[in-house]
């Protein structure tokens, strides 16, 4: 019965690789959950529903849920390592991440597992492929390569820890201070861009960009007013929460956007973000002509901690019959081409509402050829919206066990060392995210950017300059809206554009 159902499902072009995730009874409703690797439409869902109703007794309702899941090689590699750990315990002792190589093919994935000769078993791949097909769409084929390593030669990899680093906090002198409700004169304030620590006594100063009066209920269930201010000091913006006092309520109500104030209070972590609660508010300004002191970057980590780059070899790059002439301007230089998937489009931390990174994909170009890859999901530590899940195919399960930005960004900063950063709309979107989240950890990028959108506009004549349109111009096919795929196609586009231009564009 299931085979006949899947046969009908696979007859639909958008669902020809779909698999059944589960069939569950929810009250009087049979819920059929499918996973597909392609974009589907409502007509596909209705066709699946029709096929399912042939098998479901008429006394039950039927509901179809379809999830778009497009795995990348790193996801498949992690799953293979998990399967080895859970099902081949003896093998798991010797097989490490670097011993599993995965390559994406037109209809699925090919993988190679390097194992000790004494443990090699060709049946391993049959079992692993069968399990992979239960979790991902597409075809899977693998082979075992026998390694000559002996048990006595196995070495435990030495764990390295990066040096502890305390990020220095910068201050500026407050100008034109006067009392509004406080009793203690404040002479200096912390840069808002440096406000990433918890403290019981912090002073900030800046211009009011937003004022919102809100209310809350106290323990006696009484309605009480409070304010939410957005403050700017030329280095960053910060949301300030202020609970009013009766004696100064009229003075606080008189404040208006554009006024400059000094806030004394405390900072604490709340829902993953730093919250500033003001105890007192006075008048004061950022000094006229203020130029923020340049912050020295935290040193590049000596070691990768959680995400390690992998060697990358593209079959196209080794094609002897294709023109692989490297432009002189690419020789001896390093570029990191990257792309992100995020929880939303807000790339400015106004009022503390900066969206979060959920996936990062990057490729390094050395001497005109793609040589390394770097990819990982990032745990945003918040629930993903249905829109983002549908757009990217990235689910809660995929990010829940992933590194946080605090764990991932130091490794990405190390991967980018000495390289020019490249991306499609990098200046307007992607760089803002990595710059913001790296800076929160003390890692300061030297702004060296090449954006392939203006470069494409300069060299190509197209109806639009979206990534898939430019990729079509060069005959490059890919799975859009996944960072690891978008980054790879952007790297290929960048190389082709430089071949046309024969020189590097001005850095942004």
């Amino acid at each position: 019965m299931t085979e006949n159902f899947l046969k009908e499902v696979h007859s639909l072009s958008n669902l020809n690789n779909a698999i059944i995730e589960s069939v569950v009874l929810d009250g009087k409703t049979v819920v059929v959950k499918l996973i597909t690797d392609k974009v589907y439409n409502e007509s596909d869902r209705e066709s699946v529903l029709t096929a399912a109703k042939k098998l479901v007794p008429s006394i039950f309702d039927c509901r179809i849920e379809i999830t778009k899941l497009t795995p990348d090689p790193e996801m498949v590699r992690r799953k293979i390592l998990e399967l080895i750990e859970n099902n081949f315990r003896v093998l798991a002792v010797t097989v490490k991440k670097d011993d599993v190589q995965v390559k994406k093919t037109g209809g699925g994935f090919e993988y190679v597992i390097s194992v000790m000769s004494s443990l090699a078993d060709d049946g391993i791949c049959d079992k692993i492929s069968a399990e992979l097909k239960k979790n991902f769409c597409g075809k899977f084929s693998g082979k075992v390569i026998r390694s000559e390593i002996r048990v006595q030669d196995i070495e435990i990899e030495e764990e390295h820890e990066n040096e502890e680093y305390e990020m220095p906090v910068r201050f500026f002198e407050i100008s034109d201070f006067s009392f509004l409700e406080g009793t203690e004169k404040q002479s200096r304030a912390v840069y808002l861009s440096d406000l990433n620590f918890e403290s019981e006594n912090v002073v900030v100063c800046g211009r009011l960009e937003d004022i919102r009066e809100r209310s809350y209920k106290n323990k006696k269930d009484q309605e009480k007013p409070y304010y939410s201010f957005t403050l700017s000091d030329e280095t960053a913006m910060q949301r300030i929460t202020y609970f009013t006092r009766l004696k100064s309520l009229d003075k606080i109500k008189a404040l208006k956007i554009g006024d400059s104030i000094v806030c004394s209070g405390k900072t604490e972590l709340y829902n993953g973000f730093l919250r500033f609660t003001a105890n007192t508010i006075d008048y004061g300004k950022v000094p006229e002509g203020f130029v923020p002191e340049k912050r020295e970057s935290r040193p590049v980590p000596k070691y990768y901690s959680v995400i390690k780059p992998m060697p990358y070899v593209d079959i196209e790059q080794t094609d002897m019959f294709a023109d692989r002439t490297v432009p002189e301007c690419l020789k001896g230089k390093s570029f990191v081409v990257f792309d992100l998937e995020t929880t939303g489009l807000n790339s400015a931390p106004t009022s503390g509402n900066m969206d979060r990174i959920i996936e990062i994909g990057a490729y390094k170009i050395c001497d005109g050829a793609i040589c390394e890859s770097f990819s990982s999901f990032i745990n945003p530590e918040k629930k993903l919206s249905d829109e983002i899940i549908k757009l990217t195919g990235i689910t809660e399960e995929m990010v829940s066990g992933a590194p946080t930005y605090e764990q991932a960004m130091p490794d990405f900063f190390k991967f980018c060392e000495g390289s020019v950063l490249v991306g499609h709309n990098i200046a307007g979107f992607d760089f803002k995210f990595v710059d913001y989240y790296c800076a929160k950890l003390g890692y300061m990028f030297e702004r060296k950017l090449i954006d392939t959108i203006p470069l494409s506009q300069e060299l190509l004549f197209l109806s639009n300059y979206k990534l898939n349109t430019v990729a079509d111009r060069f005959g490059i096919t890919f799975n859009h809206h996944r960072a690891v795929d978008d980054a790879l196609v952007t790297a290929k586009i960048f190389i082709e554009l430089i071949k046309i231009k024969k020189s590097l564009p001005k850095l942004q």
Side-chain angles (χ1 to χ4, degrees):
M1 293 172 64
T2 303
E3 292 179 1
N4 291 335
F5 171 68
L6 277 177
K7 187 174 181 180
E8 288 194 51
V9 171
H10 290 162
S11 68
L12 304 169
S13 58
N14 292 333
L15 302 175
N16 61 347
N17 286 326
I19 61 174
I20 298 175
E21 180 183 14
S22 64
V23 179
V24 296
L25 183 62
D26 183 8
K28 290 189 176 182
T29 302
V30 175
V31 182
V32 181
K33 296 184 179 182
L34 299 180
I35 295 176
T36 181
D37 58 349
K38 298 178 182 177
V39 176
Y40 59 91
N41 53 44
E42 194 57 35
S43 176
D44 295 322
R45 188 192 300 274
E46 290 298 323
S47 297
V48 174
L49 181 60
T50 300
K53 284 182 175 179
K54 296 177 184 178
L55 304 176
V56 176
S58 58
I59 61 172
F60 295 105
D61 293 327
C62 188
R63 186 170 80 244
I64 303 299
E65 295 182 2
I66 306 176
T67 301
K68 176 177 175 285
L69 174 60
T70 50
D72 55 50
E74 184 58 28
M75 282 178 60
V76 176
R77 188 207 319 271
R78 287 202 297 265
K79 189 63 180 180
I80 292 172
L81 290 167
E82 178 187 322
L83 291 170
I84 291 174
E85 176 68 27
N86 295 335
N87 300 284
F88 306 98
R89 302 308 297 271
V90 175
L91 199 64
V93 176
T94 61
V95 173
K96 306 303 179 187
K97 182 178 179 180
D98 293 349
D99 295 324
V100 179
Q101 301 297 321
V102 180
K103 182 176 70 173
K104 196 169 187 177
T105 62
F109 294 85
E110 295 177 356
Y111 60 91
V112 176
I113 306 173
S114 178
V115 304
M116 290 171 53
S117 296
S118 59
L119 299 177
D121 180 355
D122 292 330
I124 292 172
C125 291
D126 293 336
K127 296 175 183 178
I128 288 177
S129 294
E131 290 299 317
L132 291 174
K133 289 175 183 177
K134 295 178 183 179
N135 292 271
F136 305 119
C137 302
K139 299 177 182 178
F140 294 87
S141 62
K143 63 179 179 179
V144 168
I145 295 179
R146 290 163 171 75
S147 170
E148 295 305 317
I149 188 170
R150 299 171 301 169
V151 173
Q152 58 266 38
D153 294 330
I154 297 176
E155 295 182 4
I156 304 299
E157 184 178 351
E158 182 181 355
E159 291 189 5
H160 299 287
E161 290 188 5
N162 288 306
E163 297 177 2
E164 291 292 329
Y165 176 82
E166 188 171 333
M167 189 164 52
V169 177
R170 296 167 296 175
F171 298 87
F172 62 80
E173 298 297 319
I174 297 171
S175 175
D176 299 338
F177 180 88
S178 62
F179 291 109
L180 186 154
E181 64 166 356
T183 57
E184 181 180 347
K185 182 178 179 179
Q186 305 296 339
S187 59
R188 65 176 193 165
V190 175
Y191 282 34
L192 289 178
S193 60
D194 293 3
L195 197 63
N196 59 359
F197 55 88
E198 293 183 273
S199 175
E200 291 293 322
N201 186 18
V202 183
V203 177
V204 296
C205 173
R207 183 179 62 255
L208 282 168
E209 302 290 346
D210 185 57
I211 302 174
R212 300 186 186 187
E213 186 174 356
R214 303 183 183 277
S215 64
Y216 71 100
K217 288 187 177 181
N218 63 13
K219 295 180 180 179
K220 297 180 180 180
D221 204 34
Q222 297 172 320
E223 197 87 6
K224 293 288 185 179
Y226 78 95
Y227 280 89
S228 176
F229 301 117
T230 298
L231 207 64
S232 168
D233 71 350
E234 310 302 333
T235 71
M237 290 186 179
Q238 176 68 40
R239 178 182 292 168
I240 308 291
T241 300
Y242 174 78
F243 296 95
T244 59
R245 298 180 181 85
L246 187 60
K247 66 177 182 179
S248 57
L249 182 58
D250 290 339
K251 295 178 181 179
I252 299 300
K253 281 188 174 182
L255 291 173
K256 59 186 182 298
I257 293 175
D259 287 345
S260 292
I261 61 173
V262 176
C263 298
S264 305
K266 68 175 183 178
T267 55
E268 58 186 338
L269 282 175
Y270 181 75
N271 287 341
F273 278 94
L274 200 72
R275 180 170 67 178
F276 188 107
T277 302
N279 295 324
T280 59
I281 295 179
D282 295 302
Y283 294 113
K285 297 179 180 178
V286 175
E288 188 173 347
F290 171 63
V291 177
E293 174 190 345
K294 186 176 179 181
R295 172 189 277 172
E296 292 294 326
S297 176
R298 186 174 183 169
V300 177
K302 290 183 178 181
Y303 313 104
Y304 288 102
S305 296
V306 294
I307 308 170
K308 297 181 181 180
M310 299 298 296
Y312 178 83
V313 178
D314 191 340
I315 295 175
E316 294 178 7
Q317 293 181 153
T318 59
D319 185 353
M320 296 193 315
F321 299 100
D323 179 15
R324 295 299 160 197
T325 304
V326 177
E328 286 296 323
C329 60
L330 294 181
K331 293 180 179 178
K333 296 182 178 65
S334 174
F335 304 86
V336 168
V337 187
F338 75 95
D339 186 82
L340 307 176
E341 300 300 338
T342 61
T343 57
L345 301 178
N346 188 358
S347 59
T350 306
S351 303
N353 288 330
M354 183 84 168
D355 275 309
R356 307 184 193 184
I357 301 170
I358 57 175
E359 185 188 19
I360 186 166
Y363 290 85
K364 185 171 289 185
I365 297 174
C366 306
D367 289 320
I370 305 171
C371 59
E372 279 188 310
S373 67
F374 178 101
S375 66
S376 178
F377 290 116
I378 309 295
N379 187 348
E381 300 181 289
K382 64 178 290 188
K383 185 176 177 61
L384 300 182
S385 68
D386 292 339
E387 292 78 8
I388 291 299
I389 292 173
K390 186 174 181 180
L391 177 67
T392 64
I394 297 174
T395 64
E396 294 281 353
E397 293 75 18
M398 294 160 72
V399 299
S400 61
T404 61
Y405 85 86
E406 292 96 338
Q407 297 169 312
M409 299 317 289
D411 286 342
F412 180 68
F413 189 75
K414 179 173 176 60
F415 184 69
C416 295
E417 183 183 11
S419 299
V420 175
L421 302 184
V422 181
H424 207 68
N425 193 28
I426 185 176
F429 188 77
D430 300 272
F431 180 72
K432 291 181 178 179
F433 280 91
V434 298
D435 187 45
Y436 174 77
Y437 283 109
C438 279
K440 283 174 70 70
L441 303 174
Y443 297 105
M444 314 302 292
F445 277 104
E446 184 178 353
R447 190 182 174 97
K448 292 182 178 180
L449 310 178
I450 295 177
D451 199 321
T452 52
I453 288 183
L455 189 57
S456 299
Q457 291 169 334
E458 175 190 345
L459 301 173
L460 307 175
F461 298 95
L462 303 172
S463 58
N464 63 69
Y465 294 90
K466 296 178 181 178
L467 185 61
N468 55 333
T469 304
V470 181
D472 288 343
R473 163 64 176 78
F474 293 109
I476 303 171
T477 58
F478 70 113
N479 173 38
H480 198 17
H481 295 307
R482 279 298 307 276
V484 69
D485 295 305
D486 288 1
L488 179 58
V489 74
T490 303
K492 294 180 179 181
I493 286 172
F494 171 67
I495 293 172
E496 294 304 317
L497 289 172
I498 297 303
K499 286 181 180 179
I500 296 172
K501 186 175 176 64
K502 295 182 172 57
S503 64
L504 292 175
K506 185 178 178 180
L507 298 181
Q508 296 194 23

